[in-house]
Amino acid sequence: MAGLTHFDPKGDAHMVDVSDKPVTSRVAVAEGCVKMMPETLDMITQGRAKKGDVLGVARLAGIMGAKKAAELIPLCHPLPITKVAVELTPDHSLPGVRIEATVKTTGQTGVEMEALTAVSAAALTLYDMVKAVEKSMVISDIRLKLKDGGKSGRYEAQ
Amino acid sequence: MAGLTHFDPKGDAHMVDVSDKPVTSRVAVAEGCVKMMPETLDMITQGRAKKGDVLGVARLAGIMGAKKAAELIPLCHPLPITKVAVELTPDHSLPGVRIEATVKTTGQTGVEMEALTAVSAAALTLYDMVKAVEKSMVISDIRLKLKDGGKSGRYEAQ
Amino acid sequence: MAGLTHFDPKGDAHMVDVSDKPVTSRVAVAEGCVKMMPETLDMITQGRAKKGDVLGVARLAGIMGAKKAAELIPLCHPLPITKVAVELTPDHSLPGVRIEATVKTTGQTGVEMEALTAVSAAALTLYDMVKAVEKSMVISDIRLKLKDGGKSGRYEAQ
Amino acid sequence: MAGLTHFDPKGDAHMVDVSDKPVTSRVAVAEGCVKMMPETLDMITQGRAKKGDVLGVARLAGIMGAKKAAELIPLCHPLPITKVAVELTPDHSLPGVRIEATVKTTGQTGVEMEALTAVSAAALTLYDMVKAVEKSMVISDIRLKLKDGGKSGRYEAQ
Amino acid sequence: MAGLTHFDPKGDAHMVDVSDKPVTSRVAVAEGCVKMMPETLDMITQGRAKKGDVLGVARLAGIMGAKKAAELIPLCHPLPITKVAVELTPDHSLPGVRIEATVKTTGQTGVEMEALTAVSAAALTLYDMVKAVEKSMVISDIRLKLKDGGKSGRYEAQ
Amino acid sequence: MAGLTHFDPKGDAHMVDVSDKPVTSRVAVAEGCVKMMPETLDMITQGRAKKGDVLGVARLAGIMGAKKAAELIPLCHPLPITKVAVELTPDHSLPGVRIEATVKTTGQTGVEMEALTAVSAAALTLYDMVKAVEKSMVISDIRLKLKDGGKSGRYEAQ
């Protein structure tokens, strides 16, 4: 098991030196969900037509959130992101909405945090728009699904 | 069940008009957790002494995250926050770390989103610092625990 | 004709002192448009159904833009905005899209700049999404339509 | 006529994937103007000497605005800008002030939005500083004048 | 000597609760300087006329910096600033440039940090613009000169 | 002595064109200090154990500050930083705390301003956390210690 790279030998937090890592193509996919009552989900899914596009606003917030990862997370490197896509899918078996974010860059470090931040921002925005209807919604199961590019190789969640 | 207040009669998203709401004291408490392998938790909890203060950095990111809610969430009102506290507690029964954020304001609308954003930012930061050790950590169960002040009254999660 | 209030007697720029102005309800409405070829407008207006919601994304960018006015405009006061609405209306007589933004606050200074910034951000975002189709679009006629509240009284564009 | 690249086949907005585009030198020039009454223009142009440097403050806001394009425009890629220049020229034939912004980068996508945002930010700032004198100023004719570098080749406005 | 208010009884950092403090008029004045070689100072002071307005750009950066204090300083409360003025005065006895910033608000906590941040941002910007000429400049003696309003009363540096 | 590169021949401020500079490894080290009364320093240095980690919070603010340099300093180029480390060392001979920041990038321009901003942000944050105890602290002697990489070669403060 590797050590905590974000701390120097004295135990002080720092931003890891990636200066000597090669510039490579990198991709990360993260996922998560917002769980709610079936009636709340019904209101959202009818939304696109009649009530306003809850999922569209949350998707956009997710995309913009990816660009804010390095501002929100103290030791995260700023990166020139080359692609962000966020997908929100209603799932009546939860019941709730599943969120998946894909982020790419050509850089010296990975984009896991950008993908996870995109999912979080989309989930928070969905909560914000629907909270007048249900305050008991839960944001859950946010995790890294896939990571590729860079020296540490491919990671796929099981 | 109330309607989706963030959409106008045509179904277009807008920032809800709170101009006529009175300025009152408001508080919100949100919670969530990051689940991990027991070995990862051990590494973090030994951290304060030897390996660097993972929980301290995440707590600070949570506090700063509360101030960024209106920037991250498109339809969220900007508010002059008067207090933020974020607590991270290792819990071997998860295993993982529990996060709780308390936010206060004196304003025209509530601080639920600020508290939920604080928890999310702390969780993402914890993930960032520990991901070299374990990529399979999961951010979960982020929800509103308590809300008080304002016309809609007190809400407590069950 | 009044003097340039944003400069002190020596001619140096400063942020005008509004400390002694009373806290009042204020509203501002700004408008503008993006002119384009008729074929481009057709592509956008068919968008909601088939091609993606160009107007919805631009509207959201306008709302978020209002919150960024004090960051974008050096001498603009930061204000706790209480309402933002942005409307985009296709107009075949331009041909193009008309944009109108309404912003409210309860504060010590007006929200003209927030409304004008909302219109600008919506227009820039519309341009960004459609530029692959037509680069010759023109952002035009951005102006203050209405302003009310505060000592200087009501202003309506003629 | 090409399609709307900012939407995927389902019609959902996303940030276009530029990962496979080569890193090339890119430049964009945008222009626009702020129209006003002749007396207002006189007040500004006398400004440099006596009343404070309205054009200097607006020029700086334009430069800083270019750096904020990716924050203001949801689907705009963040880019490491390598040059920004903004020029404001009083034009008594308008009457008003003409604004021109030139932006360069070495990257995977163009800087049209950065140049257009620079012009918009300079125009909004000019309006802000002069609005105590004239509220009826109009921000107009913001458009792309030139774009070069990248696969889609050179574009020059007619 | 009072305790460190930014830490709770467990020693964890938090944003101090100011919810119960009254809203009062507050002012803070901070000062500092940038020391340089006499030749460098000559170049700057001739600047207004011929070489470009170094002091004007630094003054504007100071004003904008005051608005960024709560973003830069983790435990600083966001505040609706009502006035900012920054003055830069060449002083051949240093030799260098003296900087003074005055910030006002009507709020529940003081604006010392906003004034100190304004001085720091102006100093850093001055350094940035002049560093091609002299890298050995030193930013020094940044301190609070005056603070008034609020329960803790008036403070004046000796 | 070279000229002021941030101004064009007309004397107008602009962001220097670095488009044609090669991408090289660059490093900068800056330093500074916060001077205080011996009793105040004692309170901070006992902090890690009992009173809360003042130095840890200031160090993190310094790291995040480096990422904000291009936002705070108008003519500073945005850069993808590859490393930031900030060290705070109590020094009873001042008495006070010494701050040193090291920043690296692989880019077309240097990171002096990022290192100086990191020191400034750490110093301001330290002041903020300790100001309830002593308002007379002074932030001093912020300067560039080392710069390497890029055409202008190595610079070391004497």
Side-chain angles (χ1 to χ4, degrees):
Chain A
M1 185 176 275
L4 291 174
T5 51
H6 285 71
F7 295 91
D8 66 17
K10 284 183 299 179
D12 289 341
H14 66 136
M15 192 194 284
V16 177
D17 190 352
V18 300
S19 308
D20 295 332
K21 295 171 81 173
V23 171
T24 58
S25 282
R26 290 154 187 276
V27 64
V29 181
E31 64 177 11
C33 69
V34 183
K35 295 176 190 168
M36 56 193 67
M37 293 190 295
E39 299 85 337
T40 309
L41 182 58
D42 288 348
M43 187 169 270
I44 291 174
T45 51
Q46 292 158 8
R48 197 140 204 178
K50 282 205 229 124
K51 297 259 177 190
D53 188 358
V54 171
L55 303 184
V57 174
R59 188 172 51 240
L60 211 62
I63 292 171
M64 298 184 85
K67 294 194 268 186
K68 290 194 170 297
E71 219 178 298
L72 208 62
I73 302 169
L75 305 175
C76 181
H77 295 84
L79 275 176
I81 290 172
T82 53
K83 177 214 162 103
V84 187
V86 177
E87 210 163 325
L88 290 105
T89 315
D91 181 341
H92 289 276
S93 73
L94 273 174
V97 175
R98 295 195 179 280
I99 305 171
E100 187 176 292
T102 304
V103 180
K104 287 189 184 175
T105 195
T106 309
Q108 291 173 297
T109 182
V111 280
E112 300 95 298
M113 296 321 301
E114 282 75 8
L116 288 162
T117 304
V119 170
S120 298
L124 288 166
T125 298
L126 197 157
Y127 187 98
D128 179 46
M129 284 185 292
V130 183
K131 69 180 191 290
V133 170
E134 181 190 346
K135 282 182 184 50
S136 56
M137 287 177 292
V138 179
I139 298 172
S140 246
D141 300 304
I142 298 179
R143 58 176 199 147
L144 185 64
K145 207 174 154 183
L146 170 78
K147 169 197 190 304
D148 207 2
K151 201 181 67 176
S152 70
R154 188 176 180 90
Y155 167 83
E156 263 181 284
Q158 294 171 320
Chain B
M1 186 176 275
L4 292 174
T5 51
H6 285 70
F7 295 91
D8 66 19
K10 282 183 300 179
D12 290 340
H14 66 135
M15 191 195 286
V16 177
D17 190 351
V18 299
S19 309
D20 296 331
K21 295 172 80 173
V23 172
T24 58
S25 281
R26 291 153 187 277
V27 64
V29 182
E31 63 177 12
C33 68
V34 183
K35 295 175 190 168
M36 57 192 66
M37 293 190 296
E39 299 87 339
T40 309
L41 183 58
D42 287 349
M43 187 169 271
I44 292 174
T45 51
Q46 293 159 6
R48 198 141 204 176
K50 282 204 229 126
K51 298 258 177 189
D53 188 358
V54 171
L55 303 184
V57 175
R59 187 172 51 240
L60 211 62
I63 291 170
M64 298 183 83
K67 294 194 267 187
K68 290 193 170 298
E71 219 178 298
L72 208 61
I73 302 170
L75 305 176
C76 181
H77 295 84
L79 276 176
I81 290 172
T82 53
K83 177 214 162 101
V84 189
V86 177
E87 210 163 326
L88 290 105
T89 316
D91 181 341
H92 289 275
S93 73
L94 272 174
V97 175
R98 296 195 179 280
I99 305 170
E100 187 176 292
T102 304
V103 181
K104 285 189 184 176
T105 195
T106 310
Q108 291 172 296
T109 182
V111 281
E112 300 96 298
M113 296 320 302
E114 282 75 8
L116 289 162
T117 303
V119 170
S120 297
L124 288 165
T125 298
L126 197 156
Y127 187 99
D128 180 46
M129 284 186 292
V130 184
K131 69 180 191 292
V133 169
E134 181 190 344
K135 283 183 182 50
S136 55
M137 286 176 293
V138 179
I139 298 172
S140 246
D141 300 303
I142 298 178
R143 59 176 198 149
L144 185 64
K145 206 174 154 183
L146 170 78
K147 168 197 190 306
D148 207 1
K151 202 181 68 178
S152 69
R154 189 178 179 88
Y155 166 83
E156 262 181 284
Q158 294 170 321
Chain C
M1 187 176 274
L4 292 174
T5 52
H6 285 70
F7 295 91
D8 66 18
K10 284 183 299 178
D12 290 340
H14 66 135
M15 191 195 284
V16 177
D17 190 351
V18 299
S19 308
D20 295 332
K21 295 171 79 173
V23 171
T24 58
S25 282
R26 290 153 187 277
V27 64
V29 181
E31 63 178 11
C33 68
V34 183
K35 295 176 190 167
M36 58 193 67
M37 294 189 296
E39 299 85 337
T40 309
L41 183 58
D42 288 348
M43 188 169 269
I44 291 174
T45 50
Q46 291 159 7
R48 196 141 205 176
K50 282 205 226 122
K51 297 259 175 188
D53 188 358
V54 171
L55 303 184
V57 174
R59 188 172 50 238
L60 211 61
I63 292 170
M64 298 183 84
K67 294 194 266 186
K68 289 192 171 298
E71 220 178 298
L72 209 62
I73 302 169
L75 305 176
C76 180
H77 295 85
L79 276 177
I81 291 172
T82 54
K83 177 212 162 105
V84 188
V86 177
E87 211 163 324
L88 290 105
T89 315
D91 181 340
H92 289 276
S93 73
L94 273 173
V97 175
R98 296 197 180 280
I99 305 172
E100 185 176 292
T102 304
V103 180
K104 286 189 186 176
T105 195
T106 310
Q108 290 173 296
T109 184
V111 281
E112 300 96 299
M113 296 321 302
E114 282 74 8
L116 288 162
T117 304
V119 170
S120 298
L124 288 166
T125 298
L126 197 156
Y127 186 99
D128 179 45
M129 284 186 292
V130 183
K131 70 179 191 290
V133 169
E134 181 190 344
K135 282 182 185 48
S136 55
M137 287 176 293
V138 179
I139 298 172
S140 247
D141 300 303
I142 298 180
R143 58 176 199 149
L144 185 64
K145 207 175 154 181
L146 170 78
K147 169 197 188 309
D148 207 1
K151 201 182 65 177
S152 69
R154 187 176 181 92
Y155 167 82
E156 262 180 285
Q158 293 170 320
Chain D
M1 185 176 274
L4 292 173
T5 51
H6 286 70
F7 296 91
D8 66 18
K10 282 183 300 178
D12 289 340
H14 66 135
M15 191 195 285
V16 177
D17 190 351
V18 299
S19 309
D20 296 331
K21 295 172 80 173
V23 172
T24 58
S25 283
R26 290 152 187 278
V27 64
V29 182
E31 63 177 13
C33 68
V34 183
K35 295 176 190 167
M36 57 193 65
M37 294 188 297
E39 299 86 336
T40 309
L41 183 58
D42 288 347
M43 186 169 271
I44 291 175
T45 52
Q46 293 159 5
R48 198 142 205 177
K50 283 206 227 121
K51 297 262 178 186
D53 188 356
V54 171
L55 303 185
V57 174
R59 187 173 51 241
L60 210 63
I63 292 170
M64 298 184 85
K67 296 194 266 186
K68 289 194 171 298
E71 219 178 297
L72 209 61
I73 302 169
L75 305 175
C76 181
H77 296 84
L79 276 176
I81 291 172
T82 53
K83 178 213 162 102
V84 188
V86 177
E87 211 162 325
L88 290 105
T89 315
D91 181 342
H92 289 275
S93 72
L94 273 172
V97 176
R98 296 197 179 278
I99 306 170
E100 186 177 292
T102 303
V103 181
K104 287 190 184 176
T105 194
T106 310
Q108 292 173 296
T109 183
V111 280
E112 300 96 298
M113 296 319 303
E114 281 75 8
L116 289 162
T117 303
V119 171
S120 299
L124 288 166
T125 298
L126 197 157
Y127 187 99
D128 180 45
M129 284 186 292
V130 184
K131 69 180 192 290
V133 169
E134 181 191 345
K135 283 183 183 49
S136 55
M137 287 177 292
V138 179
I139 299 172
S140 245
D141 300 304
I142 298 179
R143 58 176 197 147
L144 185 65
K145 206 174 155 182
L146 171 77
K147 169 197 188 305
D148 207 0
K151 203 181 64 177
S152 69
R154 188 176 180 89
Y155 166 83
E156 263 181 284
Q158 294 169 321
Chain E
M1 187 176 272
L4 291 173
T5 51
H6 286 70
F7 296 90
D8 66 18
K10 283 183 302 180
D12 290 339
H14 66 135
M15 191 194 284
V16 177
D17 190 351
V18 299
S19 309
D20 295 331
K21 294 172 81 173
V23 172
T24 58
S25 283
R26 289 152 187 279
V27 64
V29 181
E31 62 177 14
C33 69
V34 183
K35 294 176 191 167
M36 58 193 66
M37 294 188 296
E39 299 87 337
T40 309
L41 183 58
D42 287 347
M43 187 169 269
I44 291 174
T45 51
Q46 293 159 6
R48 198 140 204 178
K50 283 205 226 123
K51 296 259 177 189
D53 188 357
V54 171
L55 303 184
V57 174
R59 188 172 51 239
L60 210 62
I63 292 171
M64 298 184 84
K67 295 195 266 185
K68 289 194 171 298
E71 220 178 297
L72 209 61
I73 302 169
L75 305 176
C76 181
H77 295 85
L79 275 177
I81 290 172
T82 53
K83 177 213 163 102
V84 188
V86 177
E87 210 162 327
L88 290 105
T89 314
D91 181 341
H92 289 275
S93 72
L94 273 173
V97 176
R98 296 199 179 277
I99 305 171
E100 185 176 293
T102 304
V103 181
K104 286 189 185 177
T105 194
T106 310
Q108 291 173 297
T109 184
V111 281
E112 299 95 298
M113 297 320 303
E114 282 74 8
L116 289 162
T117 303
V119 171
S120 298
L124 288 166
T125 298
L126 198 157
Y127 187 99
D128 179 45
M129 284 186 292
V130 184
K131 69 180 192 289
V133 169
E134 181 190 344
K135 282 182 184 49
S136 56
M137 287 176 293
V138 179
I139 299 171
S140 246
D141 300 304
I142 299 179
R143 58 176 198 148
L144 185 65
K145 206 174 153 183
L146 170 77
K147 168 196 189 305
D148 207 1
K151 202 181 64 178
S152 68
R154 188 176 181 89
Y155 167 83
E156 262 180 285
Q158 293 170 321
Chain F
M1 186 176 275
L4 291 174
T5 51
H6 286 70
F7 295 91
D8 66 19
K10 283 183 299 179
D12 290 340
H14 66 136
M15 191 195 285
V16 177
D17 190 351
V18 300
S19 308
D20 296 331
K21 295 172 79 173
V23 173
T24 58
S25 282
R26 290 153 187 278
V27 64
V29 181
E31 62 177 13
C33 68
V34 183
K35 295 175 190 167
M36 58 193 67
M37 293 189 294
E39 300 86 335
T40 310
L41 183 58
D42 288 347
M43 188 170 268
I44 291 175
T45 51
Q46 293 160 6
R48 196 141 206 178
K50 283 203 228 126
K51 296 260 177 188
D53 188 359
V54 171
L55 303 184
V57 174
R59 188 172 52 240
L60 211 62
I63 293 171
M64 298 185 84
K67 296 195 266 187
K68 290 194 172 296
E71 220 178 297
L72 209 61
I73 302 169
L75 305 176
C76 181
H77 295 85
L79 276 176
I81 290 172
T82 54
K83 178 211 160 104
V84 187
V86 177
E87 210 162 326
L88 291 106
T89 315
D91 181 341
H92 288 276
S93 72
L94 274 171
V97 175
R98 296 196 180 278
I99 306 171
E100 185 177 293
T102 304
V103 180
K104 287 190 184 176
T105 194
T106 311
Q108 290 173 296
T109 183
V111 281
E112 299 96 300
M113 297 319 302
E114 282 75 7
L116 288 163
T117 304
V119 170
S120 298
L124 288 166
T125 298
L126 198 156
Y127 187 99
D128 179 46
M129 284 185 293
V130 183
K131 70 180 190 289
V133 169
E134 181 190 345
K135 283 182 183 49
S136 56
M137 288 176 292
V138 179
I139 299 172
S140 245
D141 299 304
I142 298 179
R143 59 176 198 148
L144 185 64
K145 207 175 154 182
L146 171 78
K147 169 197 188 307
D148 208 0
K151 201 182 65 176
S152 68
R154 187 176 181 90
Y155 167 83
E156 262 180 284
Q158 295 170 320

